């Protein structure tokens, strides 16, 4: 199941990094900021119906309608088969599929949760390319709304909260030290739950919002590019994940160069 306590080996690693970068007095604060989640990494198996993946076409139930805005259809980003996660994951639903959609600038998005299982699932029919909200440069080698599918796997992990310079009383050395600790933990950029790479530009920040998914440029799907090598992050209000009220997230592109 998802980690709720900090594993001893991870705690030792965090403490060693804090000591190395002069943050040992803040160690307990760092430890308290950790949130559990899943590191998303490439999987070796090829894409197949029902598998968790970035890109490709989603597997959908009968009657599925591709999400759209007034400007057009949204891009399909990811499919997560919740059975690919450890059993009895809290706070996510325990079964079914999460389908993530967005425009290429992170301004509009949708998350669709369904519990239809094979053989009643089928790849969605791709709407006409001219009907999509997208920009020709959204993928490394793509000029259309569909990117090559890349299967993914999930590894339980503890994520360290990002920090803002104003939270350090404008102490740039403290900010840099915190960032060095984060980098030393080797947190993957693509992740489920945990924290996004930067705090959302939303009222209340992480006090009122939870990270649902963060998708990196090029990894693990090397056709995805969010602005200038940024990360697409989905945020929902606190408590929405537990209630599976995921359909209207806020999305932002964070960490773009």
């Amino acid at each position: 199941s998802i980690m709720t306590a900090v594993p001893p080996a991870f705690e030792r690693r965090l403490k060693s990094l804090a000591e190395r970068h002069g943050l040992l007095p803040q160690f307990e604060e760092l430890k308290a900021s950790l949130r559990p989640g899943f590191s998303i990494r490439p999987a070796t198996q090829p894409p197949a119906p029902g598998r968790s993946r970035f890109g490709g076409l989603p597997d959908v139930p009968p009657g599925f309608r591709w999400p759209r805005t007034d400007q057009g259809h949204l891009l399909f980003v990811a499919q997560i088969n919740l059975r690919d996660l450890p059993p009895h994951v809290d706070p996510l639903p325990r079964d079914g599929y999460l389908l993530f959609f967005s425009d290429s600038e992170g301004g509009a998005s949708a998350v669709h949760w369904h519990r239809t299982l094979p053989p009643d699932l089928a790849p969605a029919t791709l709407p006409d390319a001219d009907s999509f909200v997208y920009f020709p440069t959204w993928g490394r080698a793509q000029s259309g709304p569909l990117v090559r599918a890349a299967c993914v796997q999930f590894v339980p992990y503890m994520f360290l909260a990002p920090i803002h310079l104003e939270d350090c009383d404008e102490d740039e050395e403290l900010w840099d030290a915190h960032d060095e600790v984060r980098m030393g933990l080797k947190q993957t950029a693509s992740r489920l739950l945990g924290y996004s790479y930067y705090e959302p530009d939303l009222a209340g920040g992480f006090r009122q919002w939870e990270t649902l998914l963060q998708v990196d440029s090029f990894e693990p799907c090397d056709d995805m590019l969010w602005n200038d090598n940024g990360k697409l992050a989905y945020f929902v209000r606190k408590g929405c994940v537990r209630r599976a009220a995921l359909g209207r997230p806020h999305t932002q592109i964070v960490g773009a160069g």
Side-chain angles (χ1 to χ4, degrees), residues 67-79:
R68 61 170 298 142
T69 68
D70 292 341
Q71 286 73 44
H73 288 97
L74 298 175
L75 300 162
F76 171 63
V77 176
Q79 169 174 292

Side-chain angles (χ1 to χ4, degrees), residues 208-212 234-238 240-241 245-246 249-250:
Q208 296 184 23
W209 297 88
E210 295 177 290
T211 303
L212 180 58
Y234 290 75
F235 302 102
V236 293
R237 284 199 175 273
K238 271 198 168 181
C240 286
V241 174
L246 309 174
H250 284 268

